[in-house]
């Protein structure tokens, strides 16, 4: 990241996967990629390549602006999904309050790229990471940072780190509520209240900024059971927040109340807008709205519009924006094609990728893929695609795949190309995983 | 990669995961990381971090030199595993003939970092990638490149690309033999011989450099069945190579005969050293010897020494060199600890990571992990570690994990720290995935 330039600009090496390698090994600014007028369908881009459809990004941005206008909530989209400053700034333009990070590494990338408010939605425990939190409060006086805490040990550690660093400003902590069988977070409201009191006692190093929960980690036997458990969890977050307010533990105005990943965010809008006379800011953290997918989140979406019909009134649903294109490198036996992509190129932790489009060699026409095509297995650098014997592609044909789980697709790319609906490259973004 | 410097040196941003983030966002040369005298156990390194044990790397290098001296074979280790020029050059120093790549992107990184012989162990089919192969033959006259082909379509495509580029030198192709139910590669010797003849006819753009197979993709019902099928496959590679030699199709001296990943390389040393009076170079491609693991390759190793006792005479086996260290961020209920690492940090496609070491906060003493500890699940940025209720770590404790499958661990890191046996950082390498 070059601080003297627009934070959305990154220097990309022409040795980066997805860009045409240059014999002279030069670099290119991400914002100059468009001027190369690369055309994926004309064969200008080495495959595999990860692309984002510009029209889908723009649609999803409009959708989020409408959603925020419809609901009295803020959003700090989880930046772990894309780890791309250029996309973070698109999300700020969509009305995001700030960006959520999973680690201090991610928060440092965000701060360096000009994001002014970051929520680290995790406990911060190692000495270097704790020190960074207090250092940045001093070196960047306008930067707003919030961190989770779910144990008295955690409070004591951050308190010590704050004293050691002579912080000029208190670090804002959100007490994390969890559930038995869940991930992080206090298991009971009583435990969480104890943690909140310890934070309030640790002034001026620390201050209590709000309450956090991650509803996605709440267990449930089936879809309805999970949704009911999430509603109960969100209600318990409100109970905890009200108790903190009644004891006057919060040192922030408004009080932050945050929950809401990309699969159950609608259920988190029920968090209260005031607590014993104090204003709250209800903040969702959905990271996947911008890129979406037709796998995991696509399936969750059907459920969201079923249980929250107000969402449907916002018009056309979110569009899957990210695709992985590869070439057929071999059709070695009937019904089997080997593609030039593998575990290194596409998510495989929820579903294998879905072959959806084909473009014959030398043709700019994109056709729908036959229904029989499916990815059966991935090796590190190969995909095994099976299909009806009379419907297989030829060597050199280009195959476009939809994906399931944007997070574990983005982290396989240092650059993602943004394309128009004809697969002409109009921009490129850098990632910082 | 900066061409004016040692190819093992990379410029690392201090915003790279695994390095301490700096409020001034400066960069550091990878070869200068050692001068920072970072000490993982003293808390100088943000966690999670990926480390390579220097002593294990040195041991594995010695082992490979002894193996090459014992067997009349060459090795072009598969560079896809680490994609690290600094490790490629260690492998060249171990006696490697060159480095194997899976894609043109990887080959371009290797060529730019000063590797003088590259085998792309895949079909190259997209126009940009084919063009690069011919361009580099012209722009780098000393660079030696070999590419696979397994179809007449593939030969025709490369022939056209060679004509279009007015290549000064022929591109060396190795005809790929496969098996029914396998991955790429001709299914029969007769098909492969047809492809070899087409290559020979496509002079001067193309020339036949040898025969390739990947024994790891040969199916088998059980361990012994797979080994028997691999022995038969290696014998068929020899039949194909002999037929090519008898028809005088090879335009290289020696003729390259290459097979051998990291799990069955010993069975590939049976390839012939001469063919109808022509010299061959038998070349293995084992990519994981340098870093190894105690999961997938550790299990394969037990089988290797059983079936190939000569390997045991080389002394101590390969050592697992790569570890992922993380912190305990929460111990939210009895028997459960949440660690600061997840799918973004460690391989999860073969086995989940194995907790092996612990270091209490503030202590430089590394203890073995209790036998009851196991990683039960990974989220994107979290690990769920279960263990006996009375044996759980505290918040802030450091946990070292061994891994299974180096390839899908390396590709999650842009820098890996090299540490001495006391976890003091002695070097850092960059990766180019």
């Amino acid at each position: 990241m070059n601080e003297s330039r627009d934070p959305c600009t990154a220097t990309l090496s022409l040795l980066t996967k997805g860009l045409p390698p240059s014999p002279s090994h030069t670099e290119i600014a991400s914002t100059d990629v468009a001027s190369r007028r690369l055309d994926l369908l004309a064969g200008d881009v080495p495959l595999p390549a990860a692309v984002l459809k510009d029209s889908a990004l723009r649609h999803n941005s409009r959708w989020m602006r409408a959603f925020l206008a419809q609901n009295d909530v803020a959003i700090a989209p989880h930046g772990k999904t894309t780890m791309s400053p250029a996309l973070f700034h698109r999300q700020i333009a969509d009305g995001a309050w700030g960006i959520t990070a999973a680690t201090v590494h991610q928060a440092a990338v965000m701060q360096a790229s000009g994001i002014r408010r970051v929520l680290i939605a995790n406990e911060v425990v190692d000495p270097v990471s704790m020190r960074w939190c207090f250092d940045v409060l001093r070196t960047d006086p306008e930067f707003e940072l919030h961190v989770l805490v779910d144990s008295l040990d955690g409070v004591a550690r951050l308190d010590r780190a704050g004293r050691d660093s002579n912080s000029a400003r208190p670090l804002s902590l959100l007490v994390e509520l969890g559930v038995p069988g869940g991930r992080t977070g206090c298991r009971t409201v009583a435990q969480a209240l104890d943690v909140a009191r310890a934070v309030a006692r640790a002034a001026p190093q620390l201050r209590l900024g709000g309450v956090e929960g991650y509803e996605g980690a709440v267990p449930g036997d089936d879809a309805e059971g999970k949704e009911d458990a999430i509603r109960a969890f969100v209600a318990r977050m409100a109970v905890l927040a009200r108790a903190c307010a009644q004891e006057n533990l919060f040192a922030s105005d408004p009080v932050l109340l945050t929950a809401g990943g990309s699969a159950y965010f609608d259920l988190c809008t029920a968090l209260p807008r005031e607590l014993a006379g104090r204003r709250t800011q209800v903040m969702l953290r959905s990271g996947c709205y911008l890129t979406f997918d037709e796998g995991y989140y696509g399936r969750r979406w059907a459920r969201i519009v079923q249980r929250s019909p107000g969402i449907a009134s916002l018009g056309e649903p979110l569009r899957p924006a990210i695709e992985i294109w590869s070439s057929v490198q071999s059709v070695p036996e009937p019904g089997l094609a080997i593609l030039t992509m593998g575990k290194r190129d596409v998510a495989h932790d929820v579903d294998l990728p879905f072959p959806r489009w084909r473009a014959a060699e030398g043709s700019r026409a994109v056709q729908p893929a036959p229904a029989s095509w499916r990815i059966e297995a991935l090796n590190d650098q190969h995909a095994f695609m099976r299909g009806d014997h009379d419907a297989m592609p030829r060597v050199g044909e280009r195959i476009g795949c939809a994906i399931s789980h944007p997070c574990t697709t983005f982290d396989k790319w240092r650059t993602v190309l943004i394309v128009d609906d004809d697969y002409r490259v109009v921009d490129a973004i850098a990632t910082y995983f």
Side-chain angles (χ1 to χ4, degrees), chain A residues 75-88:
Chain A
I75 190 165
H78 210 318
K80 70 159 182 162
T81 300
T82 71
M83 279 308 292
S84 168
L87 296 183
F88 300 156

Side-chain angles (χ1 to χ4, degrees), chain A residues 49-53 320-325 357 400-403 409 419 423:
Chain A
V51 304
L52 282 165
K53 284 270 186 68
I322 188 163
E323 301 171 4
I324 308 295
W325 281 75
W357 306 279
C401 282
I403 64 105
T409 299
V419 296
Y423 295 93

Side-chain angles (χ1 to χ4, degrees), chain A residues 45-60:
Chain A
V45 175
L47 301 183
V51 304
L52 282 165
K53 284 270 186 68
D54 193 43
S55 57
L57 293 178
R58 289 176 195 275
H59 168 78
N60 295 345

Side-chain angles (χ1 to χ4, degrees), chain A residues 80-137:
Chain A
K80 70 159 182 162
T81 300
T82 71
M83 279 308 292
S84 168
L87 296 183
F88 300 156
H89 284 278
R90 270 188 190 239
Q91 294 179 306
I92 296 294
D94 295 343
W97 168 96
I99 303 289
T100 298
T103 64
V104 158
H105 162 250
Q106 295 179 1
V109 169
M110 292 166 190
Q111 186 267 342
S113 66
I115 300 300
R116 309 301 2 187
R117 284 175 173 153
V118 170
L119 161 60
I120 301 179
N122 253 330
E123 281 60 31
V124 170
V125 290
D126 73 81
V128 180
S129 297
M130 292 192 292
R131 197 180 312 130
W132 181 86
C133 292
F134 290 101
D135 284 353
V136 77
L137 292 178

Side-chain angles (χ1 to χ4, degrees), chain A residues 176-177 183 212-218 233 237 258-262 285:
Chain A
E176 182 173 30
L177 189 66
R183 199 166 68 184
E212 187 271 355
Y214 175 50
E215 79 295 338
V218 171
F233 174 69
M237 284 181 65
T258 173
S262 298
R285 303 194 301 275

Side-chain angles (χ1 to χ4, degrees), chain A residues 1 34 57 105 113 125 166 210 236 257 341 360 372 385:
Chain A
M1 207 169 302
L57 293 178
H105 162 250
S113 66
V125 290
N166 282 314
R236 287 203 305 130
L257 299 184
M341 68 169 185
S372 69
M385 188 173 84

Side-chain angles (χ1 to χ4, degrees), chain A residues 52-66 87 90 93-94 289-291 316-321 418-421 426-427:
Chain A
L52 282 165
K53 284 270 186 68
D54 193 43
S55 57
L57 293 178
R58 289 176 195 275
H59 168 78
N60 295 345
S61 285
R62 278 194 303 274
W63 188 94
M64 179 51 72
R65 287 192 292 267
L87 296 183
R90 270 188 190 239
D94 295 343
Y289 80 85
L290 189 59
T291 53
E316 186 197 338
L318 295 172
R319 297 183 196 167
I418 299 186
V419 296
D420 68 15
D421 288 350
V426 298
D427 201 357

